[in-house]
Amino acid sequence: MTRAASSTFLGMPVALPLAGERGTLRGEHPFPEAARAALANGQLRRNLGHATRTIRGKRAAVVAEVPDWEELRDAGAAVKDDVLARLPELLEQFEAAFTARGGHVHWARDADEANRIVTELITAAGSEDDLVRQVVKVKSMATQEIGLNEALAEAGIAAVETDLAELIVQLADDKPSHILVPAIHRNRAEIRRIFLEHMPGVDPALTEEPRVLAMAARAYLRRTFLAARVAISGANFGVAETGTLAVVESEGNGRMCLTLPQTLITVMGIEKLVPTWRDLEVFLQLLPRSSTGERMNPYTSLWTGVVPGDGPQDVHVVLLDNGRTAALADRVGRAALRCIRCSACLNVCPVYERTGGHAYGSVYPGPIGAVLTPQLAGMHGDDDPVDTLPYASSLCGACYEVCPVKIDIPALLVHLRARHVEGERARRRLPTPERMAMATAAWGMRSPGRFAAGERSMRAGRLLARGGRIRHLPPPLSAWTASRDLPAPPQQTFRQWWAGRSGTPS
Ligand code: SF4
């Protein structure tokens, strides 16, 4: 990402992301290609390995403390399934409650519509006032998904990220690589360098000590919070019965954004609702333990419309579809909409741990990204990078085991692979080599005689083996051995072995 321009906010330079650089769900490269490049980065792998191991350990310890953890997971899944089954009704209930308490509800079908609404609201919040042309932001996946910062930059509005990790990413002109820890691919030395190069007014004697780095960011952000007139947030949950929005966070930056400015604009995916206030109880136990490995969130902010004289007096929520109703229409795939973005599945995924988030090309990386992105963005064939995401998994099942809302990600990956294969079959007139190979295998397996002949011919493969492995095969099978080898066929087929033991003919 290249920085297009810079602006000033309270005399400090502020980066404006390059206008027009959106594409926050669809990457430029197929996953295998992007992963190969990421795997060559040893520093990235060391940073990721250390960070994911640490978070995994913390999560496992605090989850083990909860005797009814499995029941909580069941409850979380049930509440979310209920929401998905009654979404139109609950959204209308939320709208009525939010409006009754002085808030304004906006509906956005897609990213462009959401970006236009937010831009107009910011503009309406004031004149060409410098303070209104600069807004503060709470960390939010929904706004990253729609490329809001880039859209605002096109309109000449600078969005200042206030979450520490997001700030690091923004200052470095980088992209987030993890849902919860966007700068997980950066270590302390890199962060120090980024601050020294890009943070206005930073002490040149800055050290790599975490506390010193945090204090530098604190000083930089504090002036920004106090002057901001417009804030933008996402929402972890929206309570339908009361019209309440909830943001959970660890640093307190969110609390500053949600309480100090005059105008608060929240962008929330329509699936983020829970029916009642009581339902929050389940998720406020599941989320912190699964995400940061904490027993509870340090900051849980809840707000319901406008309270005269207290907090923002101009409160808006943009309810975002952007592919969610299409996902909802898939009776299997819709389970991905249960996701509460805890990122536990990323931290246990052996693929994510080695490639990092950038290889996925989407704001949603890791296992959940591999099932959510194709559903939100669509799989379009013809070498669309998104089509490669359902294959970015070994199907080991670790993601399902940790998911607090029991999303069976491996089953969804297989479902999406089947959809991809069906789509390719419909699009291509000529069968692919893979399809021809599968058809030949199916033909062979339908007849015991053909199957036995196939087994015998396979034994010829022993001639190609060295040290018990076949490392090179002629084309088109060379595509397989280019990235993995094969065990040499055994001396005897199973049928020969069985016949030798039981006396039955093979
Ligand atoms: S899929 Fe499950 S584990 Fe992964 S981020 Fe979503 S809720 Fe968390």
Side-chain angles (χ1 to χ4, degrees), residues 179 339-346 368 399 402-405 407 409:
I179 290 176
C339 177
I340 56 172
R341 313 280 191 267
C342 71
S343 73
C345 57
L346 278 65
I368 184 57
C399 47
V402 297
C403 178
V405 284
I407 301 174
I409 294 176

Side-chain angles (χ1 to χ4, degrees), residues 280-351:
L280 272 184
E281 172 194 335
V282 174
F283 296 102
L284 293 182
Q285 293 179 75
L286 287 172
L287 182 54
R289 288 177 196 262
S290 300
S291 56
T292 48
E294 292 167 304
R295 295 186 181 95
M296 65 180 290
N297 292 99
Y299 294 89
T300 301
S301 300
L302 299 142
W303 67 102
T304 308
V306 175
V307 178
D310 184 12
Q313 298 298 295
D314 186 22
V315 176
H316 301 261
V317 62
V318 180
L319 297 173
L320 176 71
D321 182 337
N322 206 33
R324 285 160 175 78
T325 49
L328 196 60
D330 181 334
R331 297 189 72 80
V332 177
R334 65 161 61 172
L337 296 177
R338 286 184 201 156
C339 177
I340 56 172
R341 313 280 191 267
C342 71
S343 73
C345 57
L346 278 65
N347 300 328
V348 297
C349 177
V351 176

Side-chain angles (χ1 to χ4, degrees), residues 94-107:
F94 175 86
E95 181 184 32
F98 193 81
T99 308
R101 288 164 177 80
H104 303 277
V105 176
H106 310 263
W107 299 82

Side-chain angles (χ1 to χ4, degrees), residues 454-473 486-493 496:
E455 281 182 328
R456 282 195 294 275
S457 67
M458 291 279 285
R459 285 167 60 199
R462 293 181 60 78
L463 298 172
L464 300 169
R466 296 284 177 279
R469 312 293 297 177
I470 299 174
R471 295 194 165 78
H472 304 287
L473 283 170
L486 286 169
Q491 292 270 16
Q492 275 186 316
T493 67
Q496 289 166 331

